[in-house]
Amino acid sequence: MIRRIVVDSSANIYDLPQVEVKSVPLKIITDKNEYVDAYDLDTEDMIGHLAKYNGKTTTSCPNSNDWLEAYEGADEVFVVTITSALSGSYGAANLAREEYLEANPNAKIYILDSLSTGPQMRLVAERIEELIDKKVLFEDIVDDINIYNKKLELIFSLESLHNLASNGRVGFSLATLVGVLGIRVIGKASDEGTLQPIAKAHGKKKAVITIYNEMIQGGYIGGKVRIAHCFNEFDAKELLNRIRNEFPNADIFIEKCRGLCSFYAEKGGLLIGFEI
Ligand code: X90
């Protein structure tokens, strides 16, 4: 029996050690180029090109065919998507599910709307991996990850909200903070799966302190943490050290944002997924 984890590329996952994973790419699109957020995307090159490009840039979610391809051949599929409040990815994954089940009536597919993105999706995928490794039943994995996802938080720190604002993914009040030099917007994924601003921080040191304090405020007590950064390994490490100082045994690691998260989090952006 083939059991598979399928995520969209906003999860920043290439593979997991124990279980077969497929990542379905979102796309970043300009008049001149289309960047497919697949394994071979050169994120640095994309960000470099976009920095020099003055036209409009948009993104698109995977279509149902892209999802269908990723389900192909599997008996049980666990899907984790970016928040349905900001993307059509979840909807497309569901359309593909119906089609796949029609052709494969014995297969099972569960699709979790993460109401979040990036490292929070990674934590859910790691949890599924763990449960598959323990040979837990499909229905029990489904129940577990629904509860688990509610015990996860996503905090972000952004130096620019230009791309989020120009693509209508944040409200006006947040958009007005765009590009104010040296200011970072700290926020979290809301219960509805939207961006919820929490604080403004002046300078990188203050941003790291604010993120840490917000994690504690949010209920962090030493569980798993995944930090995704967009060309900002320095601050990611500062945050990791700060957490390790208080919680020496915490399971934490740092990863790079892939294409979609890099485009929206922009240079300097940090996304922190953690257990509460
Ligand atoms: O379907 C599409 O075209 C993709 C749209 C994605 C829009 C939002 C991406 C956010 C990426 C930014 C900070 C974290 C936000 C958390 C929100 C729940 C990362």
Side-chain angles (χ1 to χ4, degrees):
M1 180 170 74
I2 299 180
R3 310 183 93 186
R4 186 181 295 156
I5 300 173
V6 179
V7 292
D8 62 51
S9 63
S10 73
N12 304 312
I13 293 176
Y14 290 96
D15 49 30
L16 291 169
Q18 314 289 347
V19 176
E20 190 190 0
V21 183
K22 283 194 194 281
S23 168
V24 183
L26 288 101
K27 289 178 190 151
I28 297 96
I29 302 159
T30 70
D31 286 339
K32 293 200 178 115
N33 276 312
E34 186 178 275
Y35 301 94
V36 180
D37 190 11
Y39 297 94
D40 56 353
L41 176 72
D42 182 342
T43 309
E44 190 160 9
D45 177 72
M46 178 188 84
I47 294 290
H49 268 97
L50 292 180
K52 286 180 257 156
Y53 178 72
N54 286 324
K56 178 136 175 65
T57 311
T58 57
T59 57
S60 77
C61 66
N63 60 36
S64 59
N65 265 334
D66 301 328
W67 283 107
L68 198 58
E69 259 174 47
Y71 302 161
E72 216 53 68
D75 303 291
E76 292 189 357
V77 190
F78 302 91
V79 183
V80 189
T81 73
I82 186 170
T83 170
S84 64
L86 300 177
S87 171
S89 189
Y90 175 73
N94 273 291
L95 286 178
R97 176 180 180 274
E98 278 168 36
E99 211 170 307
Y100 191 69
L101 294 183
E102 230 168 78
N104 305 276
N106 294 325
K108 293 178 181 176
I109 302 181
Y110 184 74
I111 305 171
L112 181 79
D113 176 359
S114 70
L115 297 172
S116 182
T117 189
Q120 180 165 342
M121 291 169 68
R122 169 180 283 279
L123 285 168
V124 177
E126 288 180 6
R127 178 80 165 202
I128 300 169
E129 180 194 26
E130 221 176 280
L131 298 173
I132 289 181
D133 199 42
K134 286 189 192 142
K135 307 202 168 15
V136 175
L137 288 176
F138 182 87
E139 288 72 18
D140 294 337
I141 295 183
V142 169
D143 289 347
D144 183 282
I145 59 172
N146 273 291
I147 296 168
Y148 184 66
N149 194 47
K150 292 197 176 77
K151 292 191 219 145
L152 298 176
E153 294 273 350
L154 183 86
I155 290 187
F156 55 82
S157 164
L158 304 175
E159 288 182 23
S160 163
L161 285 90
H162 177 267
N163 291 338
L164 280 163
S166 66
N167 282 284
R169 257 76 185 194
V170 288
F172 179 75
S173 59
L174 249 182
T176 53
L177 293 169
V178 171
V180 181
L181 212 65
I183 293 198
R184 276 127 180 110
V185 176
I186 318 287
K188 61 183 237 175
S190 71
D191 292 344
E192 294 77 39
T194 55
L195 279 89
Q196 181 180 327
I198 305 174
K200 281 182 281 180
H202 296 259
K204 49 206 289 145
K205 275 224 167 80
K206 286 227 177 91
V208 170
I209 297 170
T210 308
I211 296 167
Y212 178 76
N213 290 342
E214 287 304 329
M215 286 177 69
I216 300 298
Q217 194 100 0
Y220 179 72
I221 48 165
K224 282 169 99 174
V225 183
R226 300 290 176 256
I227 305 170
H229 70 89
C230 180
F231 302 102
N232 190 6
E233 195 172 8
F234 184 87
D235 288 350
K237 281 189 175 154
E238 291 277 299
L239 178 63
L240 181 143
N241 291 337
R242 185 168 279 267
I243 301 168
R244 278 266 163 79
N245 235 356
E246 294 299 319
F247 304 98
N249 299 320
D251 170 358
I252 315 175
F253 72 76
I254 295 173
E255 64 187 0
K256 284 183 184 161
C257 287
R258 290 176 55 176
L260 193 277
C261 283
S262 294
F263 175 70
Y264 282 110
E266 302 191 43
K267 233 177 189 164
L270 294 178
L271 306 180
I272 305 98
F274 58 96
E275 295 177 344
I276 53 172

mmCIF file of all heavy atoms in Angstrom, residues 234-258:
data_model
loop_
_atom_site.group_PDB
_atom_site.id
_atom_site.type_symbol
_atom_site.label_atom_id
_atom_site.label_comp_id
_atom_site.label_asym_id
_atom_site.label_seq_id
_atom_site.Cartn_x
_atom_site.Cartn_y
_atom_site.Cartn_z
ATOM 1 N N PHE A 234 20.969 35.191 9.337
ATOM 2 C CA PHE A 234 21.523 35.810 10.534
ATOM 3 C C PHE A 234 20.455 35.962 11.622
ATOM 4 O O PHE A 234 20.631 35.500 12.758
ATOM 5 C CB PHE A 234 22.121 37.181 10.180
ATOM 6 C CG PHE A 234 22.807 37.835 11.343
ATOM 7 C CD1 PHE A 234 24.148 37.563 11.619
ATOM 8 C CD2 PHE A 234 22.124 38.711 12.183
ATOM 9 C CE1 PHE A 234 24.778 38.145 12.707
ATOM 10 C CE2 PHE A 234 22.750 39.294 13.275
ATOM 11 C CZ PHE A 234 24.072 39.010 13.536
ATOM 12 N N ASP A 235 19.345 36.580 11.269
ATOM 13 C CA ASP A 235 18.279 36.774 12.272
ATOM 14 C C ASP A 235 17.644 35.448 12.677
ATOM 15 O O ASP A 235 17.242 35.275 13.829
ATOM 16 C CB ASP A 235 17.191 37.719 11.733
ATOM 17 C CG ASP A 235 17.695 39.156 11.678
ATOM 18 O OD1 ASP A 235 18.773 39.429 12.228
ATOM 19 O OD2 ASP A 235 17.007 39.994 11.061
ATOM 20 N N ALA A 236 17.575 34.533 11.719
ATOM 21 C CA ALA A 236 17.017 33.214 12.043
ATOM 22 C C ALA A 236 17.873 32.561 13.136
ATOM 23 O O ALA A 236 17.348 31.988 14.100
ATOM 24 C CB ALA A 236 16.971 32.343 10.789
ATOM 25 N N LYS A 237 19.204 32.686 12.994
ATOM 26 C CA LYS A 237 20.098 32.102 13.997
ATOM 27 C C LYS A 237 20.001 32.826 15.340
ATOM 28 O O LYS A 237 20.060 32.205 16.396
ATOM 29 C CB LYS A 237 21.544 32.155 13.501
ATOM 30 C CG LYS A 237 21.857 31.064 12.507
ATOM 31 C CD LYS A 237 23.345 31.016 12.203
ATOM 32 C CE LYS A 237 23.660 29.840 11.288
ATOM 33 N NZ LYS A 237 24.870 30.070 10.491
ATOM 34 N N GLU A 238 19.873 34.155 15.276
ATOM 35 C CA GLU A 238 19.707 34.934 16.511
ATOM 36 C C GLU A 238 18.479 34.438 17.279
ATOM 37 O O GLU A 238 18.511 34.260 18.492
ATOM 38 C CB GLU A 238 19.500 36.419 16.179
ATOM 39 C CG GLU A 238 20.703 37.110 15.621
ATOM 40 C CD GLU A 238 21.647 37.565 16.714
ATOM 41 O OE1 GLU A 238 21.221 38.374 17.550
ATOM 42 O OE2 GLU A 238 22.807 37.097 16.729
ATOM 43 N N LEU A 239 17.399 34.229 16.543
ATOM 44 C CA LEU A 239 16.168 33.767 17.174
ATOM 45 C C LEU A 239 16.348 32.356 17.731
ATOM 46 O O LEU A 239 15.963 32.075 18.872
ATOM 47 C CB LEU A 239 15.013 33.804 16.161
ATOM 48 C CG LEU A 239 13.672 33.298 16.675
ATOM 49 C CD1 LEU A 239 13.156 34.162 17.824
ATOM 50 C CD2 LEU A 239 12.621 33.258 15.552
ATOM 51 N N LEU A 240 16.982 31.503 16.932
ATOM 52 C CA LEU A 240 17.219 30.131 17.389
ATOM 53 C C LEU A 240 18.023 30.147 18.700
ATOM 54 O O LEU A 240 17.686 29.444 19.662
ATOM 55 C CB LEU A 240 17.963 29.347 16.305
ATOM 56 C CG LEU A 240 18.279 27.883 16.617
ATOM 57 C CD1 LEU A 240 18.136 27.037 15.350
ATOM 58 C CD2 LEU A 240 19.676 27.681 17.165
ATOM 59 N N ASN A 241 19.071 30.972 18.741
ATOM 60 C CA ASN A 241 19.907 31.036 19.952
ATOM 61 C C ASN A 241 19.118 31.527 21.155
ATOM 62 O O ASN A 241 19.279 31.043 22.267
ATOM 63 C CB ASN A 241 21.120 31.931 19.723
ATOM 64 C CG ASN A 241 22.092 31.288 18.745
ATOM 65 O OD1 ASN A 241 22.083 30.062 18.596
ATOM 66 N ND2 ASN A 241 22.896 32.090 18.069
ATOM 67 N N ARG A 242 18.284 32.508 20.903
ATOM 68 C CA ARG A 242 17.471 33.052 21.995
ATOM 69 C C ARG A 242 16.518 31.983 22.558
ATOM 70 O O ARG A 242 16.335 31.861 23.761
ATOM 71 C CB ARG A 242 16.683 34.265 21.477
ATOM 72 C CG ARG A 242 15.903 35.002 22.530
ATOM 73 C CD ARG A 242 15.417 36.325 22.009
ATOM 74 N NE ARG A 242 16.464 37.339 22.054
ATOM 75 C CZ ARG A 242 16.630 38.179 23.072
ATOM 76 N NH1 ARG A 242 15.836 38.144 24.108
ATOM 77 N NH2 ARG A 242 17.598 39.069 23.048
ATOM 78 N N ILE A 243 15.931 31.222 21.656
ATOM 79 C CA ILE A 243 15.017 30.162 22.111
ATOM 80 C C ILE A 243 15.809 29.089 22.863
ATOM 81 O O ILE A 243 15.430 28.660 23.960
ATOM 82 C CB ILE A 243 14.254 29.526 20.919
ATOM 83 C CG1 ILE A 243 13.449 30.579 20.155
ATOM 84 C CG2 ILE A 243 13.312 28.422 21.406
ATOM 85 C CD1 ILE A 243 12.899 30.111 18.810
ATOM 86 N N ARG A 244 16.963 28.692 22.296
ATOM 87 C CA ARG A 244 17.797 27.642 22.897
ATOM 88 C C ARG A 244 18.295 28.029 24.284
ATOM 89 O O ARG A 244 18.490 27.193 25.153
ATOM 90 C CB ARG A 244 19.025 27.379 22.014
ATOM 91 C CG ARG A 244 18.770 26.469 20.874
ATOM 92 C CD ARG A 244 19.104 25.016 21.222
ATOM 93 N NE ARG A 244 18.488 24.085 20.277
ATOM 94 C CZ ARG A 244 18.966 23.827 19.068
ATOM 95 N NH1 ARG A 244 20.073 24.406 18.648
ATOM 96 N NH2 ARG A 244 18.333 22.985 18.265
ATOM 97 N N ASN A 245 18.525 29.328 24.461
ATOM 98 C CA ASN A 245 18.962 29.847 25.753
ATOM 99 C C ASN A 245 18.002 29.468 26.867
ATOM 100 O O ASN A 245 18.391 29.091 27.960
ATOM 101 C CB ASN A 245 19.007 31.374 25.673
ATOM 102 C CG ASN A 245 20.366 31.880 26.055
ATOM 103 O OD1 ASN A 245 21.239 31.100 26.454
ATOM 104 N ND2 ASN A 245 20.552 33.183 25.938
ATOM 105 N N GLU A 246 16.716 29.593 26.562
ATOM 106 C CA GLU A 246 15.677 29.298 27.552
ATOM 107 C C GLU A 246 15.251 27.832 27.511
ATOM 108 O O GLU A 246 14.852 27.275 28.519
ATOM 109 C CB GLU A 246 14.438 30.172 27.300
ATOM 110 C CG GLU A 246 14.639 31.658 27.513
ATOM 111 C CD GLU A 246 15.046 31.992 28.945
ATOM 112 O OE1 GLU A 246 14.488 31.387 29.889
ATOM 113 O OE2 GLU A 246 15.933 32.856 29.110
ATOM 114 N N PHE A 247 15.302 27.271 26.318
ATOM 115 C CA PHE A 247 14.816 25.887 26.145
ATOM 116 C C PHE A 247 15.901 25.072 25.439
ATOM 117 O O PHE A 247 15.816 24.811 24.234
ATOM 118 C CB PHE A 247 13.528 25.874 25.310
ATOM 119 C CG PHE A 247 12.417 26.733 25.866
ATOM 120 C CD1 PHE A 247 12.191 28.018 25.377
ATOM 121 C CD2 PHE A 247 11.597 26.259 26.883
ATOM 122 C CE1 PHE A 247 11.174 28.810 25.878
ATOM 123 C CE2 PHE A 247 10.574 27.041 27.390
ATOM 124 C CZ PHE A 247 10.362 28.322 26.890
ATOM 125 N N PRO A 248 16.929 24.663 26.190
ATOM 126 C CA PRO A 248 18.104 24.034 25.572
ATOM 127 C C PRO A 248 17.795 22.762 24.791
ATOM 128 O O PRO A 248 18.537 22.419 23.871
ATOM 129 C CB PRO A 248 19.016 23.712 26.764
ATOM 130 C CG PRO A 248 18.462 24.446 27.932
ATOM 131 C CD PRO A 248 17.039 24.775 27.640
ATOM 132 N N ASN A 249 16.722 22.065 25.130
ATOM 133 C CA ASN A 249 16.444 20.794 24.454
ATOM 134 C C ASN A 249 15.436 20.909 23.321
ATOM 135 O O ASN A 249 15.043 19.901 22.730
ATOM 136 C CB ASN A 249 15.935 19.759 25.457
ATOM 137 C CG ASN A 249 16.969 19.500 26.527
ATOM 138 O OD1 ASN A 249 18.163 19.422 26.229
ATOM 139 N ND2 ASN A 249 16.535 19.417 27.784
ATOM 140 N N ALA A 250 15.024 22.136 23.019
ATOM 141 C CA ALA A 250 13.977 22.286 22.003
ATOM 142 C C ALA A 250 14.460 21.796 20.647
ATOM 143 O O ALA A 250 15.608 21.996 20.260
ATOM 144 C CB ALA A 250 13.569 23.755 21.913
ATOM 145 N N ASP A 251 13.556 21.136 19.920
ATOM 146 C CA ASP A 251 13.834 20.641 18.573
ATOM 147 C C ASP A 251 13.549 21.785 17.595
ATOM 148 O O ASP A 251 12.390 22.107 17.309
ATOM 149 C CB ASP A 251 12.919 19.422 18.321
ATOM 150 C CG ASP A 251 12.929 18.951 16.882
ATOM 151 O OD1 ASP A 251 13.603 19.560 16.038
ATOM 152 O OD2 ASP A 251 12.240 17.947 16.593
ATOM 153 N N ILE A 252 14.628 22.423 17.128
ATOM 154 C CA ILE A 252 14.474 23.601 16.262
ATOM 155 C C ILE A 252 15.352 23.428 15.035
ATOM 156 O O ILE A 252 16.478 22.964 15.169
ATOM 157 C CB ILE A 252 14.976 24.900 16.945
ATOM 158 C CG1 ILE A 252 14.485 24.990 18.385
ATOM 159 C CG2 ILE A 252 14.578 26.125 16.153
ATOM 160 C CD1 ILE A 252 15.057 26.189 19.129
ATOM 161 N N PHE A 253 14.857 23.787 13.874
ATOM 162 C CA PHE A 253 15.813 24.007 12.789
ATOM 163 C C PHE A 253 15.394 25.107 11.837
ATOM 164 O O PHE A 253 14.261 25.562 11.832
ATOM 165 C CB PHE A 253 16.253 22.720 12.088
ATOM 166 C CG PHE A 253 15.230 22.054 11.213
ATOM 167 C CD1 PHE A 253 14.920 22.561 9.964
ATOM 168 C CD2 PHE A 253 14.633 20.871 11.634
ATOM 169 C CE1 PHE A 253 14.008 21.921 9.147
ATOM 170 C CE2 PHE A 253 13.723 20.221 10.816
ATOM 171 C CZ PHE A 253 13.410 20.750 9.584
ATOM 172 N N ILE A 254 16.417 25.521 11.093
ATOM 173 C CA ILE A 254 16.254 26.670 10.197
ATOM 174 C C ILE A 254 16.245 26.152 8.763
ATOM 175 O O ILE A 254 17.007 25.253 8.429
ATOM 176 C CB ILE A 254 17.438 27.641 10.398
ATOM 177 C CG1 ILE A 254 17.402 28.232 11.813
ATOM 178 C CG2 ILE A 254 17.435 28.749 9.349
ATOM 179 C CD1 ILE A 254 18.625 29.069 12.165
ATOM 180 N N GLU A 255 15.385 26.727 7.940
ATOM 181 C CA GLU A 255 15.386 26.346 6.525
ATOM 182 C C GLU A 255 15.198 27.603 5.680
ATOM 183 O O GLU A 255 14.826 28.657 6.199
ATOM 184 C CB GLU A 255 14.259 25.349 6.250
ATOM 185 C CG GLU A 255 12.887 25.953 6.492
ATOM 186 C CD GLU A 255 11.752 24.953 6.404
ATOM 187 O OE1 GLU A 255 12.020 23.780 6.150
ATOM 188 O OE2 GLU A 255 10.603 25.368 6.584
ATOM 189 N N LYS A 256 15.449 27.420 4.376
ATOM 190 C CA LYS A 256 15.276 28.551 3.466
ATOM 191 C C LYS A 256 13.865 28.542 2.900
ATOM 192 O O LYS A 256 13.329 27.470 2.593
ATOM 193 C CB LYS A 256 16.242 28.411 2.288
ATOM 194 C CG LYS A 256 17.663 28.749 2.635
ATOM 195 C CD LYS A 256 18.504 28.646 1.372
ATOM 196 C CE LYS A 256 19.959 28.879 1.719
ATOM 197 N NZ LYS A 256 20.860 28.387 0.693
ATOM 198 N N CYS A 257 13.295 29.716 2.706
ATOM 199 C CA CYS A 257 12.029 29.802 1.989
ATOM 200 C C CYS A 257 12.267 29.386 0.550
ATOM 201 O O CYS A 257 13.272 29.754 -0.058
ATOM 202 C CB CYS A 257 11.516 31.240 1.970
ATOM 203 S SG CYS A 257 10.884 31.830 3.533
ATOM 204 N N ARG A 258 11.355 28.653 -0.002
ATOM 205 C CA ARG A 258 11.391 28.373 -1.432
ATOM 206 C C ARG A 258 10.737 29.554 -2.157
ATOM 207 O O ARG A 258 10.608 30.634 -1.610
ATOM 208 C CB ARG A 258 10.698 27.045 -1.716
ATOM 209 C CG ARG A 258 11.513 25.879 -1.194
ATOM 210 C CD ARG A 258 10.826 24.556 -1.369
ATOM 211 N NE ARG A 258 10.439 24.318 -2.760
ATOM 212 C CZ ARG A 258 9.885 23.191 -3.203
ATOM 213 N NH1 ARG A 258 9.649 22.200 -2.349
ATOM 214 N NH2 ARG A 258 9.545 23.045 -4.467
#
